Amino acid sequence: TEQMYTAEDDFWKITSYALERQRLNKAYSKYGIKVTNDALNEEAASIVRNNIPNYDMVNDFIKGLRQLPFGNFVSFPAEIMRTSTNILGRALKEINYAHTLDDGRVVNPLRGIGYKRLFGFGTTVVGVPYGTVEAAKAIYGVSGEEMEAMRRFVPDWSKNSTLVPIRDTDTGELKYVDFSHANAYDTMIRPINTMINSVNKGIDEGEIMKNIATGMFEATAETMLPFVSESIWTEAATDIFFRNGRTREGRRLWTEATPWGERVSITAGHLVKTQMPGSIDAFRRLGLAAREEVDEYGTTFEMGDELAGLAGFRAIKLDPIRSMKFKIADFRTGINNARREFTSPLLK
């Protein structure tokens, strides 16, 4: 499997190298600029090396994070940040590069390539996600108010994602595709989405200014999360040994009344589940959809949605009624915590 992944990765790098070399050769030849084959090879290789994510280029600090008990998949976001900066830098360099010909004319042979690179990057990072969402809203008749309401009921990990809405033509129910899962450059726009979503929560001028500050903080946190959050194994172990059977989100794995034998069974199951690849769940849902069965929570799955999920475009049904149970639980927890603030000093 690793060799297949590497081969596919190498195929696109080699293809990109050939295309970049061809573009450079064509641009130089247009103005009669003579460049050696070695120079063309090196320049094309440099573009591929610096503009396409490559785990061999990850710096030692990021590699060191892999050995620590925090940080999840740190190499990928680090490479996206590195290559995004390099793409912009390369585009500006190409736009501004000037060459003096033998007849004294000053030309910009790479300017066209630079503008195409800049436009392509902007389209990939901003244009495609924005255009996809707006097109889906128009096709399915989803309003801006419905999009804002949708964000209140999606899981925490999707609240700042690029959400593509889909409306069931028969029932009118809303679904959404978390486009961020399929967008490699989501790392670059997610902090912006976080800040915009925070600002949108503001009501009056004072509230908006407060939310701008909060949004900037949350945007920074979103950027740093892959590097500083607990690793998958560490989080699972912490749930068991330090949080006394409660997950970071507050879900109880067991209570004080749970027999020790069951605690051991739950502990083993929790550790195994956290280490399972996400694709296992995808195939399990596919099986349930094929058999027209429901999962342990009574949720049904559609074959079309689950097949699309294998390509990273799974349509998830929005279930406000089920989500309200969690919101009510959070509300009750908030009330209990507020009561403690008042009663704790009094009961001394």
Side-chain angles (χ1 to χ4, degrees):
T1 303
E2 184 178 344
Q3 289 176 348
M4 286 173 64
Y5 177 87
T6 304
E8 185 232 11
D9 208 36
D10 288 346
F11 172 80
W12 291 113
K13 284 186 173 68
I14 293 166
T15 303
S16 298
Y17 167 79
L19 292 173
E20 291 289 354
R21 192 187 185 286
Q22 185 183 51
R23 284 206 299 181
L24 290 168
N25 189 38
K26 188 176 179 180
Y28 289 130
S29 299
K30 180 180 178 181
Y31 293 97
I33 301 172
K34 294 182 179 179
V35 181
T36 65
N37 285 331
D38 286 345
L40 278 175
N41 293 343
E42 180 55 38
E43 190 169 2
S46 176
I47 293 172
V48 172
R49 184 167 57 247
N50 293 315
N51 290 12
I52 297 179
N54 185 341
Y55 294 136
D56 288 333
M57 298 297 292
V58 176
N59 64 49
D60 291 338
F61 174 74
I62 298 298
K63 288 178 180 177
L65 285 181
R66 298 173 184 166
Q67 314 303 321
L68 300 177
F70 55 84
N72 285 307
F73 313 113
V74 291
S75 296
F76 184 73
E79 272 301 277
I80 291 298
M81 292 175 188
R82 181 185 74 88
T83 54
S84 296
T85 305
N86 289 341
I87 290 169
L88 292 172
R90 176 72 195 186
L92 293 174
K93 180 181 177 181
E94 289 168 336
I95 291 169
N96 294 316
Y97 173 70
H99 180 83
T100 304
L101 300 176
D102 294 338
D103 59 8
R105 285 184 300 146
V106 177
V107 295
N108 303 99
L110 304 180
R111 179 163 289 178
I113 296 176
Y115 279 124
K116 285 181 182 178
R117 196 181 305 281
L118 199 59
F119 178 77
F121 181 71
T123 301
T124 302
V125 175
V126 180
V128 171
Y130 178 80
T132 303
V133 173
E134 292 304 312
K137 286 168 64 178
I139 292 170
Y140 294 104
V142 179
S143 66
E145 289 80 4
E146 284 179 304
M147 287 298 295
E148 290 179 20
M150 180 186 291
R151 288 195 180 276
R152 297 179 196 160
F153 292 99
V154 299
D156 282 346
W157 56 83
S158 291
K159 68 179 182 180
N160 294 316
S161 295
T162 301
L163 302 180
V164 179
I166 299 173
R167 193 189 298 278
D168 191 306
T169 53
D170 296 325
T171 64
E173 292 178 333
L174 279 175
K175 298 179 182 179
Y176 67 92
V177 174
D178 192 331
F179 190 75
S180 295
H181 288 167
N183 182 11
Y185 287 92
D186 179 69
T187 302
M188 304 307 296
I189 61 173
R190 196 175 184 87
I192 300 171
N193 286 340
T194 304
M195 198 158 111
I196 291 172
N197 293 335
S198 295
V199 172
N200 283 342
K201 295 174 186 175
I203 301 171
D204 55 33
E205 186 176 347
E207 191 72 12
I208 289 175
M209 292 307 295
K210 184 185 78 173
N211 280 323
I212 287 175
T214 303
M216 291 176 68
F217 175 79
E218 288 184 358
T220 305
E222 285 271 355
T223 305
M224 296 304 299
L225 190 62
F227 305 99
V228 299
S229 62
E230 293 171 306
S231 64
I232 296 173
W233 174 262
T234 308
E235 183 176 350
T238 302
D239 293 340
I240 295 162
F241 299 110
F242 297 102
R243 297 192 187 106
N244 197 26
R246 188 186 292 274
T247 67
R248 189 168 58 180
E249 292 79 23
R251 183 172 64 87
R252 271 282 187 191
L253 297 174
W254 68 74
T255 68
E256 294 299 325
T258 305
W260 276 102
E262 289 185 28
R263 289 192 197 188
V264 172
S265 176
I266 293 170
T267 296
H270 181 63
L271 286 171
V272 170
K273 188 175 180 180
T274 57
Q275 306 308 304
M276 294 286 276
S279 55
I280 299 295
D281 273 342
F283 283 111
R284 184 179 66 84
R285 290 192 301 266
L286 201 60
L288 291 172
R291 297 191 300 272
E292 297 184 352
E293 297 176 356
V294 299
D295 65 4
E296 62 267 32
Y297 302 106
T299 306
T300 57
F301 302 97
E302 295 182 17
M303 181 64 73
D305 294 342
E306 299 310 317
L307 285 173
L310 296 178
F313 295 101
R314 178 172 174 252
I316 304 169
K317 180 181 175 183
L318 201 65
D319 193 347
I321 294 176
R322 183 181 170 195
S323 299
M324 282 301 295
K325 296 176 183 177
F326 297 102
K327 290 188 176 294
I328 291 169
D330 289 342
F331 179 67
R332 286 174 174 165
T333 301
I335 288 177
N336 290 335
N337 290 338
R339 281 177 178 152
R340 286 194 195 96
E341 293 294 324
F342 289 100
T343 57
S344 294
L346 294 174
L347 293 177
K348 290 179 181 177

